[in-house]
Amino acid sequence: MTTLSEDTIAGLVRDDLAHLIHPQYYAPEHQDPVIFDYGDGVWLVDVRGKRYIDGLSSLWNVAVGHGRSELADAAADQIRKIAFTNNYTGFSNVPAIELAAKVADLAYDNLSGVFFTNSGSESNEGALKTARFYWNLQGRPSKVKLIARERAYHGGTLATAAMTGLPPFWKYFGPLPAEIVHTAQPENLECDCELNSDGECAHWLEAAIEREGADTVAAFIAEPVKGAGGVWTPSAEYFGRIREICDRYEVLFISDEVITGFGRTGRWFAHEHWDVQPDILSVAKAITSGYVPMGAFIVSDEIMEALQTVPPDARFMHAYTNSAHPTASAVALRNLQIFEDENLLANAETMGAKLGDGLRSALGGHTHVTNLRSLGLIAGFSLVQDAETGAAYDAADGVGGQVARHMREKGQVITRFVGDHIVLAPPLIVSGDEIDHIVGAVEAAIRAVTGE
Ligand SMILES: Cc1ncc(COP(=O)(O)O)c(C=O)c1O
């Protein structure tokens, strides 16, 4: 709506560099940032008036697309009424009560208690604290450890960075909490499991519990589809086995559905695909489609009952000023209404299949593309030196970054890359023509960068 002059843009970039510290900041790569002006549906427009398809729903969160006046109205109406009230014990508010009931209704049948946070990181950190709290209430205080997976992403706080299974997130921030440990491929593992797309199987968890001692392990955390680590999908049997292992060793299962929650895989929550139920569910992002910050963790009937029947010295001293924020709750309620009115889960399933098929037909058999993976409207693939041998590119070549840059500059599609893995997750409102545009931009970028 506003095309800015080059002088104004240069001034903005100067001030940005001088004052704004960005997530994953690396100043040499921030000399010419894309500065967004407005959005409309799946489209983003920068301050020069250039349009791009938002191929990752911004950060996997803008599920209903940009520029929804219904959500602006919901926020404005609530702010006019009352923007904020105190939700500590003894006080509550109408939109938060309605949202908690709605989320409990949509989530897995065994879950009933909702604690609202402001982000995915807070959801996961709260989930871990709650798991420890629960085991203390059961008289088992030694159960404190959390097991997480390689290539997982769980957030930016100290504990959730430790849960994250991507070493660059640890470097220079240590020491990290020692009770947060990771699965690793067990030595001499012989099994007939169908492997996940990144090569792991449920025995990795079993080996980690045995290694640590089940008496010391409070919980296991996993994303149904590892997102920010490169989009890695599980085998059909994986989470059924995980549930069975967690039950056998009395380890709580935390499902981090900060990306997959609220429709991304074509279901409200991803474990509906495999008929599995976690003990704690972490969400954020699409609960408000990113229009205002909000997250939540949702606990099982059993944990909820334990929280409601604690002895007097065991008050649940976990708190955020903005927990159950009335304005965020009102936006979330209206956002979830849009999901239902516009049948977005069905669209995610149909358009997800079109995206997966499109990528497979454009790139299947390409010399430099391997391991195309998707579930609903989340997809990823890997760029390699040679798809037949699986030989990787030299990291210094930065092929993933080159492809993403070409997609943005020439193909008008913005998405992210993780090393040589390209990830895609467009808004759930995406149309067939827009999927065709995305697939065309991906193919053109790969052919231009690899020369094949
Ligand atoms: C699976 C997952 N968990 C947790 C988080 C952290 O969420 P936030 O950035 O809102 O703290 C993210 C963020 O991308 C995520 O993808």
Side-chain angles (χ1 to χ4, degrees):
M1 285 179 208
T2 38
T3 308
L4 301 182
S5 72
E6 286 305 317
D7 276 357
T8 308
I9 294 171
L12 283 167
V13 171
R14 257 196 319 275
D15 284 348
D16 183 311
L17 282 166
H19 303 297
L20 190 50
I21 302 173
H22 294 260
Q24 302 189 7
Y25 197 43
Y26 183 57
E29 282 180 7
H30 196 75
Q31 302 302 306
D32 183 21
V34 178
I35 305 177
F36 294 112
D37 182 31
Y38 71 97
D40 178 18
V42 302
W43 291 91
L44 292 163
V45 185
D46 73 17
V47 288
R48 293 187 172 90
K50 191 166 175 199
R51 290 165 62 80
Y52 315 84
I53 287 190
D54 187 355
L56 202 71
S57 306
S58 287
L59 280 175
W60 326 82
N61 53 347
V62 187
V64 299
H66 298 277
R68 305 290 305 228
S69 53
E70 306 94 314
L71 298 187
D73 292 344
D77 290 350
Q78 185 60 42
I79 288 170
R80 275 194 202 95
K81 233 177 183 176
I82 182 157
F84 179 79
T85 54
N86 166 18
N87 274 289
Y88 279 42
T89 291
F91 299 96
S92 200
N93 72 77
V94 176
I97 296 169
E98 289 176 358
L99 182 63
K102 179 77 190 169
V103 169
D105 182 41
L106 295 177
Y108 305 104
D109 287 349
N110 65 319
L111 303 182
S112 52
V114 184
F115 185 99
F116 288 111
T117 68
N118 305 286
S119 68
S121 304
E122 287 180 5
S123 299
N124 287 332
E125 182 129 354
L128 170 58
K129 285 178 70 181
T130 304
R132 286 185 171 182
F133 192 85
Y134 172 78
W135 287 119
N136 269 296
L137 292 178
Q138 305 308 304
R140 301 182 65 181
S142 67
K143 284 176 88 64
V144 295
K145 289 184 188 165
L146 178 91
I147 299 177
R149 297 188 297 172
E150 292 182 349
R151 297 201 213 230
Y153 184 76
H154 295 298
T157 64
L158 201 58
T160 57
M163 294 176 199
T164 292
L166 299 162
F169 287 92
W170 309 331
K171 205 172 172 186
Y172 301 120
F173 292 117
L176 300 172
E179 305 80 17
I180 296 174
V181 298
H182 289 91
T183 54
Q185 182 162 18
E187 272 175 37
N188 308 321
L189 175 64
E190 277 179 32
C191 68
D192 59 359
C193 291
E194 188 194 331
L195 301 182
N196 296 349
S197 56
D198 62 349
E200 71 177 349
C201 79
H203 289 102
W204 293 33
L205 171 62
E206 185 161 30
I209 297 174
E210 293 279 348
R211 180 188 75 209
E212 301 298 327
D215 263 1
T216 70
V217 180
F220 167 65
I221 188 166
E223 306 157 83
V225 176
K226 289 175 189 168
V231 175
W232 302 98
T233 46
S235 74
E237 68 187 26
Y238 176 77
F239 278 108
R241 291 194 179 193
I242 290 290
R243 180 70 267 183
E244 185 273 317
I245 292 167
C246 287
D247 288 343
R248 183 149 42 89
Y249 289 96
E250 297 183 292
V251 166
L252 296 177
F253 172 28
I254 302 170
S255 180
D256 176 352
E257 302 214 31
V258 167
I259 285 179
T260 55
F262 302 104
R264 173 58 54 196
T265 70
R267 305 282 188 279
W268 280 111
F269 297 98
H271 287 294
E272 292 169 34
H273 288 284
W274 313 294
D275 210 10
V276 166
Q277 299 190 334
D279 301 295
I280 306 180
L281 169 65
S282 283
V283 299
K285 296 194 188 277
I287 191 171
T288 55
S289 285
Y291 277 66
V292 290
M294 183 175 233
F297 60 88
I298 304 120
V299 302
S300 66
D301 302 335
E302 216 175 330
I303 297 173
M304 186 63 173
E305 199 194 327
L307 286 177
Q308 288 175 332
T309 54
V310 293
D313 72 326
R315 181 185 283 257
F316 185 59
M317 294 300 280
H318 182 65
Y320 305 115
T321 299
N322 291 321
S323 178
H325 195 291
T327 304
S329 302
V331 172
L333 278 169
R334 189 66 188 90
N335 173 58
L336 297 177
Q337 185 66 48
I338 292 175
F339 275 62
E340 289 176 344
D341 293 347
E342 299 182 9
N343 231 341
L344 293 187
L345 270 56
N347 198 56
E349 184 154 32
T350 317
M351 290 302 136
K354 186 171 168 60
L355 177 64
D357 292 348
L359 291 171
R360 274 179 273 276
S361 94
L363 302 170
H366 190 284
T367 324
H368 299 293
V369 177
T370 188
N371 205 354
L372 285 149
R373 44 210 185 252
S374 63
L375 183 69
L377 216 32
I378 177 169
F381 58 86
S382 305
L383 297 159
V384 286
Q385 187 78 257
D386 182 348
E388 220 157 84
T389 62
Y393 277 114
D394 194 330
D397 294 344
V399 172
Q402 289 180 52
V403 166
R405 191 172 189 99
H406 188 287
M407 283 170 62
R408 186 181 88 207
E409 289 177 352
K410 304 272 197 292
Q412 289 186 283
V413 174
I414 290 187
T415 195
R416 291 180 69 78
F417 63 97
V418 187
D420 289 337
H421 314 291
I422 304 287
V423 297
L424 290 162
L428 306 190
I429 54 157
V430 71
S431 70
D433 287 350
E434 289 155 351
I435 292 284
D436 289 341
H437 180 125
I438 294 170
V439 172
V442 170
E443 184 180 2
I446 289 172
R447 297 207 186 281
V449 169
T450 67
E452 286 180 53

